[in-house]
Amino acid sequence: MKNIFIAAVLALAMTTVLAAQRGERGAGPAGAAPATTPQPQGGRGAFQPTLWWGDEMFPKWPYPAGDAVYADLDGAKIKGYINEITAISRKSRDDGNQYWGRITGSPYDKMTTDWIAAQFKRVGLETRVQEITDLPEQWWPTSWEVTVGGGGKTVGLKTAFPLYRSVGTSGQAELDPIWVGMGTAADFRGRDVRGKAVVAYGFPNPGGRENTALTWGIVKRAEEEGAAALFIVLGFPGNVVNEPTAAGTQPPARMPIFMLGNQDGTLIREMIEQDQSPRLRFRLSVELRTGLKTASVWGVLPGSTDENIAVMAHTDSFFEGAMDNASGIATMVALAEHYAKIPKAQRRRTMTFFTTSAHHSPSGDNAGSMPSTVSEKRARACSTSSSVAASMVRARSAARMRNASVSASRIRRTSSASCSSVATMSLLISTVLSGSR
């Protein structure tokens, strides 16, 4: 009976909290008069979760003994940095770009590196911006539109997003859609897709970077069968825009390829099932841009020994890129800020903080050109870190900058095991903090 009573109290408390949250999010500030106009469900717009836990609702846990020194590595502060970085992406979108985000070679790419350089200087790192002027040709979709018509209606498919290296169209194309399930060889059997638009489900693989349709070779299969276009429906609840980052296509692709959200894809399938003779109409304009520039930002925090730790985060992203990789950039800045406050004599190792660009697109040798193995990539990152950081030491000496005691030979001894790719806060903190105490 006691357990039932406790459960009832907890349920009542949760209901009260969530109801209060709905009022706060949907009806204006606490104490304000009730809203007189209808609000979206949950108060966060049509495509946001109905219940949204605010930051203030999460418990604050005490630090274990000895860890209070890291209290300034605060999640709220890091989230603030993330918001500043993702604001750059949102500006890209609000400026009218369909292909939006912190795209390599774009003005928003430069805004990001400028922001990072300013943060490094603010916290006291010796900072250098390394401009990269020899980027390879960059695939750049400039505009597109996809609709489906059938049963007397035409619907715009707002989640349509071109797959990396997809070819464009010559004006507007109009094709019959052919549903091929999950896009396997068995699904294609007995279906005539020549000159038509193949539509298939792609379910996210673990990690979410690719999907089953791409992994199982649907692009090559559709091309070999003579399809004129390919639409991959992300088998994931809701209706989200998705870009799986160059998965499954190699230039030159021979047909336009789009990703679709689940609801948009379901609409096509239901039109086929209901014999509404649907037609897919679409256009895609693509440029192959040359002469674009990007940059890496470097910051050195000298230590008291000849050992070096390299901390790296990539700067480019599709869309807002909060997780990939504003979270990494923000955590790196917070780490630099934390260690910059520690006297040099208490910093056992020199720390080199640096960014890379073109993580999601061709970058060329000078920017780190997507090596085939993780170990090769880490070794290249460390090699680049060593040479640039060493040149920073020479420049610092020439300019009579402070702390000129860090030698180039010290930085060159950086090992690949010391390179920490900033992916999540917990991974980076466990790697770097354990090595620098």
Side-chain angles (χ1 to χ4, degrees):
M1 190 67 181
K2 180 179 179 181
N3 291 340
I4 295 175
F5 174 75
I6 292 173
V9 170
L10 289 174
L12 178 60
M14 183 65 71
T15 302
T16 303
V17 169
L18 294 179
Q21 185 189 15
R22 288 194 189 102
E24 176 188 331
R25 299 286 180 179
T36 57
T37 56
Q39 299 293 313
Q41 185 181 24
R44 294 184 59 85
F47 299 104
Q48 295 292 340
T50 302
L51 302 178
W52 190 274
W53 288 72
D55 294 342
E56 70 283 354
M57 298 177 68
F58 288 90
K60 303 293 184 182
W61 301 105
Y63 287 93
D67 281 356
V69 65
Y70 302 122
D72 62 334
L73 290 167
D74 177 64
K77 178 177 73 174
I78 292 172
K79 184 177 179 181
Y81 294 153
I82 292 172
N83 287 337
E84 293 184 39
I85 299 164
T86 55
I88 297 172
S89 291
R90 291 191 293 274
K91 176 173 172 53
S92 168
R93 177 198 62 196
D94 296 344
D95 285 347
N97 296 288
Q98 273 190 285
Y99 186 52
W100 65 276
R102 302 184 297 279
I103 308 295
T104 298
S106 72
Y108 314 97
D109 178 27
K110 186 177 186 305
M111 290 179 195
T112 306
T113 55
D114 287 348
W115 182 90
I116 295 166
Q119 297 301 315
F120 281 1
K121 292 175 182 178
R122 175 182 64 82
V123 304
L125 302 188
E126 297 167 10
T127 304
R128 172 183 167 184
V129 177
Q130 177 195 15
E131 190 175 64
I132 298 164
T133 60
D134 57 351
L135 276 175
E137 173 183 88
Q138 300 291 304
W139 175 84
W140 210 284
T142 57
S143 69
W144 61 90
E145 183 179 25
V146 179
T147 65
V148 61
K153 64 179 180 180
T154 299
V155 180
L157 305 182
K158 301 299 185 183
T159 61
F161 196 89
L163 190 67
Y164 178 77
R165 295 303 305 199
S166 172
V167 299
T169 62
S170 299
Q172 180 171 278
E174 184 172 342
L175 300 174
D176 292 329
I178 302 296
W179 191 271
V180 294
M182 295 174 65
T184 66
D187 292 313
F188 272 81
R189 189 164 299 164
R191 287 180 169 86
D192 180 13
V193 302
R194 187 166 299 277
K196 300 174 184 177
V198 167
V199 186
Y201 273 126
F203 296 96
N205 291 343
R209 179 55 71 199
E210 297 183 1
N211 61 64
T212 54
L214 294 171
T215 302
W216 296 341
I218 192 172
V219 173
K220 181 179 179 182
R221 189 169 296 117
E223 288 181 341
E224 290 176 346
E225 294 292 330
L230 172 61
F231 292 81
I232 301 174
V233 180
L234 184 65
F236 190 84
N239 206 35
V240 300
V241 179
N242 177 51
E243 163 51 57
T245 312
T249 61
Q250 293 294 328
R254 297 197 295 268
M255 61 183 174
I257 306 172
F258 287 91
M259 297 298 302
L260 292 175
N262 189 50
Q263 292 176 12
D264 283 348
T266 298
L267 177 63
I268 300 172
R269 177 174 57 79
E270 289 177 345
M271 284 184 171
I272 295 173
E273 292 171 346
Q274 296 167 14
D275 296 324
Q276 294 181 1
S277 303
R279 298 278 286 177
L280 279 167
R281 300 177 182 87
F282 57 94
R283 61 173 180 80
L284 170 61
S285 299
V286 173
E287 296 177 358
L288 296 176
R289 296 185 177 180
T290 58
L292 299 181
K293 300 177 182 180
T294 189
S296 293
V297 185
W298 306 83
V300 172
L301 189 63
S304 59
T305 72
D306 61 355
E307 297 177 338
N308 186 60
I309 290 178
V311 183
M312 179 269 286
H314 75 82
T315 54
D316 57 316
S317 78
F318 296 108
F319 316 127
E320 285 185 293
M323 179 86 172
D324 184 8
N325 188 35
S327 63
I329 300 169
T331 304
M332 180 175 66
V333 169
L335 283 166
E337 190 171 17
H338 169 81
Y339 282 103
K341 294 176 182 176
I342 299 174
K344 177 185 173 183
Q346 298 177 27
R347 293 195 299 261
R348 179 179 171 187
R349 298 172 175 89
T350 292
M351 300 185 74
T352 302
F353 299 87
F354 67 101
T355 68
T356 63
S357 184
H359 177 78
H360 294 293
S361 60
S363 56
D365 290 339
N366 288 342
S369 57
M370 298 184 186
S372 58
T373 66
V374 173
S375 59
E376 181 185 350
K377 182 174 182 180
R378 293 176 69 184
R380 178 174 295 175
C382 288
S383 174
T384 306
S385 170
S386 300
S387 61
V388 175
S391 67
M392 290 181 68
V393 171
R394 291 191 294 270
R396 179 178 63 221
S397 177
R400 297 182 180 180
M401 297 176 68
R402 64 179 179 82
N403 297 324
S405 60
V406 182
S407 67
S409 61
R410 171 191 306 172
I411 295 174
R412 288 196 186 98
R413 286 203 290 271
T414 301
S415 67
S416 61
S418 298
C419 287
S420 300
S421 177
V422 185
T424 65
M425 180 177 178
S426 60
L427 174 61
L428 190 141
I429 289 177
S430 65
T431 301
V432 178
L433 298 190
S434 62
S436 292
R437 289 184 183 180

